[in-house]
Amino acid sequence: MWKNTEVARRLGLAVPIIQGPFGGAISSVDLVVAVCESGGLGSFGVHHLDANGIGDVASRIRARTSGPFALNLWIPLDDADDPRIDDAAFARNAQLLQPYLSELGLQIPQRPKRFAPPYAEQIEAVLAARPAVFSFVFGVPSQSVLKRCRALDIVTLGAATTVDEAIALEQAGVDMIVATGFEAGGHRVSFLRAAEESLTGTFSLVPQVADAVRIPVVAAGGIADARGIAAALALGAQGVQIGTAFLACTESNADATHREMLFSPDARYTGLTRVFSGRLARGIRNRLMNQLQAHAAHIAPYPIQNWLTGMMKKAAAGQERSDLMSLWCGQSAPLLTHRDARSLMAALVKETSLLTGGWASNS
């Protein structure tokens, strides 16, 4: 049956469905628990948290479910862990946001000592938490980290946007690969070439990756219902990772305005932009995306731009200003029908079983 894939067996899941991890504080313990208790793998994006925050999240998840779960980190890409920018450049980047900050009643924020928590401390906290799965994006962990994961019986799950990236992950000793097509919402997690040069769709990417590597492949990008799951399995995937459909659920930590936008006609119109974080990401087109795109050459890199827009996006959400929020959204949002995670999981399992009938596992 479709449920009995290598991914499901290796992770001890009832069904090979993984909830995509969300960055920017929109992951939630409630969502992870709901997915885990429904037989899938819940995931929590912890790249915005310091070591204490990561330990706290893992403890709160374990207090509510005995199921396996994943903690997700961003591997430092280029100088993202400690970016170099002088005060004059910081001021120029901040000035681009001045009109929008003023609309929200905010001042340009003072430059911080750091723009994000140190990766070295984060990875130690993840290893100490010992989740069933350590998932990651934007690169490959060091050999020492991968070796420690194996010693701790932590399954490693790395994201690839190209066949070359998938091969690099396998050669490094990563256990499983998420092949993520450009239909996906949120950040494009490319690391070997520029994200703009790594825009392969899920239908093309998944079978190519499945043919190129021997480790299990999880399909992601544009999967929002049972049809997407069945298609991914037929293409050679051993599981699926679903993001936007879970982001739309009340259990996620996405703002209510964001969740409502995912069910609106506007969700048909998404775009790829570096405006919100400094890295290429897919979201619903809105005023901020459209207006700042004209200044794309002057957008600060990640995590500087992400930090600069952080306070603004939070204030915009509080004022229900969807025109100034980052509305992460995949291209299949118009297929969404469920607003809570348990009913979504139940529908995915039931409908996929009906679609696949007596399919044998493609393990």
Side-chain angles (χ1 to χ4, degrees):
M1 297 295 290
W2 73 272
K3 301 176 185 178
N4 185 31
T5 69
E6 188 174 350
V7 166
R9 293 193 298 270
R10 177 76 184 274
L11 301 183
L13 306 176
V15 290
I17 297 175
I18 299 172
Q19 168 239 318
F22 308 128
I26 54 178
S27 285
S28 79
V29 172
D30 286 347
L31 181 58
V32 172
V33 171
V35 174
C36 291
E37 292 295 289
S38 299
L41 183 76
S43 306
F44 198 109
V46 297
H47 82 274
H48 66 293
L49 297 175
D50 62 15
N52 289 334
I54 291 171
D56 177 64
V57 161
S59 295
R60 288 192 287 130
I61 294 171
R62 284 201 172 96
R64 294 177 55 190
T65 182
S66 59
F69 63 90
L71 295 181
N72 178 272
L73 273 182
W74 291 17
I75 306 299
L77 185 65
D78 300 323
D79 66 347
D81 195 44
D82 189 16
R84 298 172 180 84
I85 183 171
D86 59 36
D87 290 340
F90 178 82
R92 287 194 300 272
N93 293 138
Q95 195 62 38
L96 284 176
L97 301 176
Q98 174 67 66
Y100 309 104
L101 291 167
S102 296
E103 284 186 39
L104 296 167
L106 302 174
Q107 300 293 321
I108 292 179
Q110 294 295 313
R111 177 178 177 167
K113 292 183 178 180
R114 283 193 62 93
F115 293 97
Y119 170 76
E121 296 178 11
Q122 291 179 316
I123 191 62
E124 290 299 324
V126 168
L127 293 171
R130 200 172 176 178
V133 177
F134 167 40
S135 67
F136 48 88
V137 295
F138 290 114
V140 187
S142 67
Q143 280 299 307
S144 62
V145 167
L146 292 174
K147 182 178 179 180
R148 291 170 68 188
C149 285
R150 287 190 288 271
L152 293 168
D153 199 28
I154 299 172
V155 174
T156 50
L157 180 64
T161 63
T162 66
V163 173
D164 288 342
E165 289 176 351
I167 292 171
L169 289 164
E170 181 181 46
Q171 290 178 342
V174 174
D175 295 313
M176 300 179 183
I177 293 169
V178 177
T180 174
F182 92 129
E183 300 94 329
H187 286 86
R188 302 304 306 139
V189 293
S190 307
F191 60 92
L192 288 184
R193 301 179 68 182
E196 288 87 349
E197 298 175 11
S198 308
L199 300 178
T200 305
T202 304
F203 246 62
S204 294
L205 181 64
V206 170
Q208 290 183 56
V209 170
D211 287 350
V213 302
R214 291 173 294 179
I215 57 178
V217 176
V218 175
I223 301 171
D225 61 13
R227 291 171 293 182
I229 296 174
L233 296 176
L235 292 171
Q238 297 284 313
V240 298
Q241 181 170 283
I242 297 175
T244 303
F246 284 113
L247 184 63
C249 295
T250 56
E251 293 93 339
S252 88
N253 206 33
D255 184 83
T257 301
H258 187 171
R259 294 199 306 270
E260 285 304 313
M261 288 293 290
L262 296 176
F263 289 98
S264 76
D266 289 337
R268 301 171 188 162
Y269 310 105
T270 65
L272 291 167
T273 184
R274 292 180 179 267
V275 159
F276 297 107
S277 71
R279 283 185 175 165
L280 197 67
R282 182 177 298 282
I284 297 173
R285 293 186 178 277
N286 63 2
R287 175 185 162 217
L288 187 66
M289 184 192 296
N290 293 333
Q291 291 184 351
L292 281 188
Q293 199 62 37
H295 305 281
H298 305 291
I299 297 295
Y302 177 88
I304 299 166
Q305 182 72 3
N306 195 58
W307 186 88
L308 281 169
T309 61
M311 180 174 64
M312 184 184 77
K313 291 183 290 188
K314 183 176 181 179
Q319 297 178 34
E320 299 183 355
R321 291 287 302 274
S322 61
D323 61 323
L324 298 179
M325 296 169 61
S326 54
L327 303 168
W328 305 136
C329 176
Q331 289 186 327
S332 290
L335 302 176
L336 302 183
T337 58
H338 296 277
R339 293 176 182 263
D340 74 90
R342 285 177 172 83
S343 67
L344 171 61
M345 281 291 292
L348 291 174
V349 173
K350 179 181 178 181
E351 293 167 15
T352 303
S353 295
L354 290 173
L355 277 178
T356 58
W359 284 12
S361 166
N362 56 350
S363 59

